[in-house]
Amino acid sequence: LRERFYGHLPQTNRLALSAFARRVDSQLPRYESLMRRVGAVEGIAWRQLAAISFKESHWNPGAVSRKGAAGMMMLMPEAAAEVGIRDRRNAEQSLRGGARYFLKLAADLPPEVAANERELFMLAAYNMGPGRLQEARRLTAERGANPHLWAVGEQQLREGSAQGARAPRAARRNIETVTFVSRVRQYHRFLSHHDDEDGLFAEAGRQQRNPPG
């Protein structure tokens, strides 16, 4: 329960969340209807799509990474081809491709992984690749820990990063994945409450002025 409801909090970065909140008001309206449509067709919550695409590209369809990932969902050429996407810099194609690739990652997880945990492992695989995630889960099992819990997998990645002197690149990638999962969870949760934010504050004010009983 602690992991499910508060697991995103340790990595909270106020500057990152403030930047995200500003973009939600200034930039998200340009893409929200498209994200809703793509989400409905591909079978993914549009807020999840928005959270991933912001972490990947800050909602920039023309974004390109040094490693060759491109588009709003930062798909690599191989991943784009795998899910039938030709133009990674086209916003709709990128969102569709990212949604398909993300959902496809569920097939790599065993049925023992609970539904609320699957999404977290899928986010990790989206960032680090399914092969590296499977290796991390294998090492977790070898330690005698539960490889089906993200909190345990996250610990495995953090401990791996502590050995950075021997493998600095892998250590950086581990921390990058942990941060990726945490930030996407934060952004998704923010969007889930954004529309009713005023109502929540108004209700809280009423409760303060007129406490029950």
Side-chain angles (χ1 to χ4, degrees):
L1 289 173
R2 181 180 61 81
E3 164 59 23
R4 178 177 178 184
F5 292 104
Y6 301 107
H8 66 295
L9 293 176
Q11 291 294 313
T12 295
N13 182 302
R14 291 182 181 275
L15 291 177
L17 282 177
S18 295
F20 178 69
R22 289 194 297 271
R23 298 288 184 94
V24 166
D25 291 329
S26 66
Q27 193 173 353
L28 183 58
R30 282 185 248 168
Y31 300 108
E32 182 175 335
S33 61
L34 174 60
M35 290 176 180
R36 286 180 180 273
R37 179 158 47 87
V38 170
V41 172
E42 301 296 340
I44 183 173
W46 79 268
R47 290 180 178 87
Q48 180 73 285
L49 203 57
I52 296 172
S53 57
F54 181 82
K55 183 64 182 78
E56 287 287 8
S57 69
H58 285 196
W59 296 324
N60 176 12
V64 180
S65 78
R66 288 176 295 179
K67 295 181 180 179
M72 220 175 213
M73 296 291 281
M74 281 300 197
L75 292 170
M76 294 294 286
E78 300 82 4
E82 190 177 329
V83 292
I85 297 302
R86 294 183 178 181
D87 186 356
R88 292 178 293 155
R89 297 196 193 184
N90 176 280
E92 180 169 354
Q93 287 195 43
S94 182
L95 289 168
R96 288 188 182 280
R100 292 171 188 173
Y101 182 69
F102 176 72
L103 295 174
K104 191 172 182 292
L105 293 170
D108 296 321
L109 297 172
E112 292 83 2
V113 179
N116 60 301
E117 297 284 342
R118 297 180 78 81
E119 181 180 292
L120 304 179
F121 281 111
M122 289 160 65
L123 286 172
Y126 192 98
N127 179 260
M128 72 190 309
R132 289 189 62 231
L133 177 64
Q134 293 302 328
E135 175 65 11
R137 295 183 67 251
R138 184 186 66 78
L139 292 173
T140 299
E142 286 184 357
R143 290 173 47 213
N146 189 343
H148 307 322
L149 297 176
W150 169 246
V152 178
E154 181 182 27
Q155 181 181 358
Q156 172 67 43
L157 292 175
R158 288 184 181 280
E159 290 179 358
S161 70
Q163 304 171 5
R166 284 179 284 177
R169 182 175 299 178
R172 287 195 299 270
R173 286 289 289 149
N174 286 355
I175 292 300
E176 177 185 317
T177 296
V178 169
T179 301
F180 179 87
V181 174
S182 179
R183 293 280 173 81
V184 172
R185 295 177 77 184
Q186 292 168 34
Y187 299 154
H188 191 183
R189 183 161 297 197
F190 180 96
L191 288 172
S192 296
H193 295 289
H194 182 257
D195 293 341
D196 62 4
E197 183 178 6
D198 293 337
L200 287 173
F201 278 120
E203 179 60 26
R206 284 193 294 271
Q207 291 290 333
Q208 280 189 325
R209 291 190 297 271
N210 304 295

